[in-house]
Every structure is written in C-alpha cells, then in structure tokens.
C-alpha cells in the first residue's frame, strides 16, 4: 500500500515549496496517512476540527492529534465549533453542517497561510457511501463523483477500509476510535454498518468493482466538462462586465436541459 500511495502522490507533481493542509481527525484513516506522509518527507501541517459532539471524547481526539504533531514538529491548527447550535440555526443535518464548517475554516487556512492543497484521508469505502447517499437523492454527475469547489487531494481514495486496517496493524499505528461510528444515528453509519456487510456477503469483490465504476464515472464527468469548457470558450462573448450568449447556439446542445444547467450553474 505504501508504494502505491507513493506512486499516486507523484501524480500531483508537488514542488519543494508546497505545503499540504492535512485534515486529521485522529482516526485510523488519517493516522495511516499521517504515517505515510512522514515516511515520504512530505511538507504538511495539520488541521483538526472539534465539533463538540462527543464531550470528553472529542477533547481527547484533539489532545491526541496535537501531541502527535508536537512529537513530530508539525504545525497544528485546531478549531472548536458549536455544531448543535449551527444545526438548529440552519435546519441542516449534523453531518452537512460539520462538513461545511470544516471546509470553510480550512479554505481560509489555505489562503491565510499560503498553503497549497487540502488533504483528506477519505478512502474507497467513503467514496462508495457518498455515491449511495447522493444516488438516493437524485444527484447528477457532480454529486455522484464528489466534485469539489477548491483544491482537495485524497491519496487514499483508491484503498479500501480493509487495506488501511492491514497497513495500520502491520505498522503498529496508534489511532483514536470514534464511538459514534458504531451507532446508526447517521445515514452514512447505517450504510456502513448495515448495507456494506450484506454487500460483501452477496458480492465478495464489490469494493474493487465499485472502484472501477467510480473511475468510469469520473472519466465520463471529465470528458463532458472538457466539452463544456471548450463550448464556453467559443460561445461566451465578453462585453465589459457581462457575457453574451446566443440562444440559437444553446438550443443546438442536446440534451438541452442538462447542458444549460451545467453551463450556467457557476453563476448561481
């Protein structure tokens, strides 16, 4: 696994001055990636979010990650969020609010400290869970492939949870276990704890096959968005503070509703 991650990271073509902002929870995925980054001598600092949802356990996670950074002379950023209050204010789910708070803060860190990329330890199982959630909500390619709005690298995205567990045990990685992972309070946990085990019983190799499907979906997305980019370069006529687009050219695009949405969604 180490060598595969090493080869994957080479594709990013990182420069010597590049410094990653690594989202580290203290869980098994992030501590495995922490170990790999250290062994590869990659420049990174750590961002840890305390969503104050698990009382002393959340404080323990923060303390654990901070001490790990101090042991390895790594810059550590942390922030506590009143997540429950924000849920009540916004009416959104806890997981959605936590995601928005995390990435908004990290995006600001990226800018304020002149860092290069945000890095997360999302794995193949996480990708599949996200796919199922978004598929059930009627998402298009953007949702199904997890498109992001700013630089996010996911070096473990092609590795299953089993791969990560094997690496952790082989390399004697210490991590913090999130007690909420065993509960089915959240949709993602229900998929992880109920649906995934059944899938393994029916299709023992489903995780590797789902990786192929996600790759095909991403290739399709990239091909379509390249076509849209070329079309916009050819048909968006810049006039001072606006663009002019001829409706006759838009009408030629089929399926029309799909293309019109994708062309204009960046404008809100």
């Amino acid at each position: 696994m180490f060598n595969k991650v090493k080869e994957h990271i080479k594709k990013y073509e990182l420069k010597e001055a590049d410094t990653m902002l690594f989202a580290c929870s203290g869980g098994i995925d992030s501590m495995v990636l922490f170990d790999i980054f250290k062994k590869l001598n990659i420049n990174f600092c750590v961002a840890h979010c305390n969503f104050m949802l698990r009382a002393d356990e959340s404080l323990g996670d923060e303390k654990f990650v901070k001490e790990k950074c101090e042991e390895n002379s790594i810059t550590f950023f942390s922030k506590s969020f009143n997540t429950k209050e924000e849920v009540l204010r916004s009416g959104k789910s806890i997981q959605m609010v936590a995601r928005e708070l995390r990435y908004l803060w990290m995006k600001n860190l990226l800018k304020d400290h002149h860092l290069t990329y945000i890095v997360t330890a999302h794995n193949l199982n996480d990708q599949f869970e996200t796919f199922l959630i978004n598929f059930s909500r009627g998402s298009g390619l953007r949702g199904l492939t997890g498109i992001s709005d700013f630089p996010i690298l996911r070096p473990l995205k092609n590795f299953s949870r089993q791969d990560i567990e094997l690496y952790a045990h082989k390399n004697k990685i210490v991590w913090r276990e999130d007690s909420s992972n065993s509960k089915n309070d959240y949709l993602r946990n229900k998929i992880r704890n109920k649906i995934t085990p059944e899938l393994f019983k029916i299709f023992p190799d489903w995780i590797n096959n789902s990786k192929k499907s996600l790759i095909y979906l991403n290739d399709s997305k990239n091909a379509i968005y390249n076509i849209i980019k070329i079309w916009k370069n050819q048909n968006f006529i810049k006039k001072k503070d606006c663009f002019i687009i001829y409706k006759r050219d838009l009408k030629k695009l089929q399926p029309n509703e799909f293309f019109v949405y994708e062309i204009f969604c960046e404008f809100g």
Side-chain angles (χ1 to χ4, degrees), residues 16-253:
E16 193 173 332
D18 289 341
T19 302
M20 311 291 103
L21 179 61
F22 175 32
C24 184
S25 67
I28 185 170
D29 299 341
S30 57
M31 296 318 297
V32 162
L33 190 54
F34 188 105
D35 181 76
I36 291 172
F37 270 20
K38 283 295 299 176
K39 289 174 179 174
L40 291 175
N41 293 316
I42 287 175
N43 294 324
F44 70 99
C45 49
V46 162
H48 177 82
C49 297
N50 183 348
F51 296 109
M52 298 194 295
L53 295 171
R54 292 175 288 117
D56 290 344
E57 188 179 332
S58 293
L59 294 173
D61 292 346
E62 183 176 350
K63 183 174 182 287
F64 170 76
V65 177
K66 183 180 181 181
E67 289 176 351
K68 191 71 176 177
C69 289
E70 288 173 348
E71 288 170 15
N72 292 276
S73 301
I74 294 168
T75 302
F76 174 75
F77 300 104
S78 67
K79 188 172 178 67
S80 296
F81 300 95
N82 193 332
T83 313
K84 289 182 179 178
E85 184 178 293
E86 182 61 23
V87 167
L88 291 173
R89 188 195 66 78
S90 68
K92 298 177 182 177
S93 69
I94 286 179
Q95 289 190 313
M96 179 64 75
V97 165
R99 184 184 185 281
E100 290 177 355
L101 291 171
R102 176 172 65 244
Y103 284 122
L104 177 60
W105 173 56
M106 292 181 70
K107 188 176 181 181
N108 288 331
L109 284 176
L110 203 70
K111 180 176 64 176
D112 294 343
H113 296 274
H114 309 290
L115 305 171
T116 315
Y117 295 105
I118 290 172
V119 180
T120 72
H122 289 114
N123 60 47
L124 185 57
N125 292 62
D126 294 323
Q127 284 196 89
F128 182 75
E129 290 159 9
T130 299
F131 171 87
L132 277 185
I133 290 169
N134 290 340
F135 182 80
S136 68
R137 291 172 177 166
S139 296
L141 275 176
R142 287 176 184 270
L144 297 180
T145 54
I147 195 167
S148 58
D149 297 321
F150 46 92
I152 300 178
L153 305 184
R154 298 180 175 91
L156 301 184
K157 69 179 183 178
N158 291 324
F159 298 94
S160 69
R161 192 158 285 127
Q162 184 180 29
D163 294 329
I164 291 165
E165 288 172 356
L166 287 171
Y167 181 95
H169 291 300
K170 183 178 178 181
N171 292 275
K172 298 181 172 58
I173 304 296
V174 179
W175 71 88
R176 294 272 298 181
E177 198 64 55
D178 184 341
S179 63
S180 67
N181 286 338
S182 62
K183 300 174 183 176
N184 293 324
D185 297 340
Y186 306 122
L187 176 57
R188 184 177 293 274
N189 286 10
K190 289 176 183 176
I191 292 172
R192 184 176 298 170
N193 298 330
K194 292 184 174 183
I195 296 176
T196 297
E198 292 302 315
L199 277 172
F200 272 118
K201 290 177 186 177
I202 302 169
F203 307 108
D205 202 33
W206 73 268
I207 192 69
N208 289 319
N209 290 332
S210 70
K211 177 166 70 173
K212 294 176 186 175
S213 297
L214 288 168
I215 289 171
Y216 296 150
L217 274 173
N218 270 289
D219 286 346
S220 300
K221 178 200 71 178
N222 292 334
I224 290 170
Y225 291 147
N226 281 335
I227 290 169
I228 290 171
K229 183 178 179 181
I230 292 169
W231 190 93
K232 288 169 77 170
N233 287 338
Q234 294 173 344
N235 293 278
F236 272 48
I237 304 167
K238 180 72 173 174
K239 293 288 185 180
K240 293 184 179 179
D241 59 348
C242 68
F243 292 104
I244 294 174
I245 305 100
Y246 289 103
K247 288 199 287 184
R248 66 170 183 267
D249 296 322
L250 279 173
K251 289 177 179 177
K252 294 175 185 176
L253 296 170

Side-chain angles (χ1 to χ4, degrees), residues 3-14:
N3 289 328
K4 288 181 180 179
V5 174
K6 182 179 178 181
E7 289 304 310
H8 180 78
I9 290 174
K10 279 184 181 179
K11 296 176 183 178
Y12 300 147
E13 298 181 350
L14 301 177

